[in-house]
Amino acid sequence: VVKDYRGMTIYSAIVGLISGTILWILTGFPILGFVDGVLVILTGILSIFGAAIYFSVIQKEHGSKVIFLFQLTPIFVLILAILFLNEAITIRKLLGFILILVPSLLISSNEGGKLKLDLGKNTLLILAVDLLAAISAVLFKFVVDVGSFSKVVAYESWGWAIGGVVLFAIPSVRKVFIETTRNLKKKALILIFTNEFFYIASKLLLFLAISLGSVYLVNVITGTQVLFGVIYGVILTIIAPKIFKEDVSKSGLLKKIILGGVTVIGLILIY
C-alpha cells in the first residue's frame, strides 16, 4: 500500500514519541544526567536511521535474505564490545562467527539456488544497518545496568522521535509522508501503527536483555530470527504471492534450509 518507503520512518518516530512518553510516566518521570541522556537518545537516533535504510531495502529484497544478513550484527557488536567493553573472545566463538558470516553473505545471492557471493548495493545497505544496530546496542550497554533500565528506556524511544524530526526536515521525506498519510485508508494506518508497536515491544525486550547480560551474546540469540523469517516467508508467499516474493522453489528452499542450519550451528558455538 505504501508505495514510497521514505515516509515509513516517520510513523516509527510517532510511535517512539508516544511509547517513550508513556514509559516515562509509568517509570516515575526519571531524569538522566546530561551524558547518559545524550548517549541513550543517540541509540534511538541511530536505530531510526537504520530503520530508514531497512525500509528502502525490504521493498526490493526477499524478507528471508534481509533477515539472514541481519545475522552479521553480532559480529559488529563483538568487535565493538572487544574494543570498548573489554569483552573476551575464544577460538570457538571465532568459528561460530565464520559459520554466521558465510551463510549470511551467500544468501544475499539473487541467483535462485546457486550459491554466489553478492556484495551489491542492497547487501551493503543492510551491512550499514547492522553496524548502526551494533553501535546502538553498545552505547546502550555503556549507560544501562539492571537497576537503571526502567529509567533510561523512555529516552531511547524519544531518540526515535528526534531522529524522525531530523528525517522529517528533509523536504522529499516530508512530502512523501504527507501524501502517503492523505491517501492511506484507516485500515492501512492501523496496520502500520500496530506493526510499529510490535517492533517497539521487541526492541524494549532486546534492551532489557542487554541490561541483564553480555551485549554480544544477546545479539547472537536474536539470530533465531532467521528460522522465523524463512518459515514466515514461505507461508506468506503461498498465501499472498502478489505481496510476498520469497523463492519457494526446491533449490531455493534447500539453499535456505542448509544455510539456516549452518547459521544456527554458528549461533550455538558463540553462545
Side-chain angles (χ1 to χ4, degrees), residues 54-111:
Y54 163 79
F55 284 129
S56 72
V57 175
I58 199 65
Q59 286 195 331
K60 307 168 188 175
E61 292 289 356
H62 297 164
S64 61
K65 169 182 172 178
V66 175
I67 292 174
F68 264 102
L69 290 173
F70 277 155
Q71 308 320 304
L72 298 177
T73 300
I75 295 178
F76 291 110
V77 171
L78 181 60
I79 293 172
L80 294 175
I82 291 173
L83 293 176
F84 300 108
L85 298 178
N86 297 318
E87 297 274 10
I89 188 170
T90 64
I91 297 298
R92 187 184 70 181
K93 290 174 183 175
L94 280 175
L95 177 59
F97 281 130
I98 293 172
L99 293 179
I100 294 173
L101 176 63
V102 173
S104 297
L105 293 178
L106 290 177
I107 201 66
S108 67
S109 170
N110 290 316
E111 301 293 330

Side-chain angles (χ1 to χ4, degrees), residues 168-208:
F168 190 76
I170 301 173
S172 60
V173 175
R174 182 169 61 251
K175 180 181 178 181
V176 167
F177 171 73
I178 293 173
E179 290 180 353
T180 299
T181 304
R182 284 175 178 171
N183 295 326
L184 281 182
K185 295 181 180 179
K186 184 183 295 185
K187 179 180 179 181
L189 276 173
I190 291 173
L191 286 173
I192 288 174
F193 281 114
T194 300
N195 181 68
E196 292 307 311
F197 274 109
F198 271 116
Y199 181 76
I200 291 291
S202 69
K203 181 194 65 175
L204 294 178
L205 289 172
L206 174 65
F207 283 130
L208 175 59

Side-chain angles (χ1 to χ4, degrees), residues 117-155:
L117 181 62
D118 178 11
L119 290 177
K121 178 182 177 181
N122 290 333
T123 299
L124 294 176
L125 285 174
I126 291 299
L127 292 179
V129 176
D130 291 339
L131 180 58
L132 289 173
I135 295 173
S136 177
V138 172
L139 282 176
F140 193 84
K141 185 63 176 179
F142 260 124
V143 178
V144 74
D145 56 36
V146 177
S148 66
F149 174 77
S150 62
K151 299 177 182 178
V152 304
V153 67
Y155 289 80

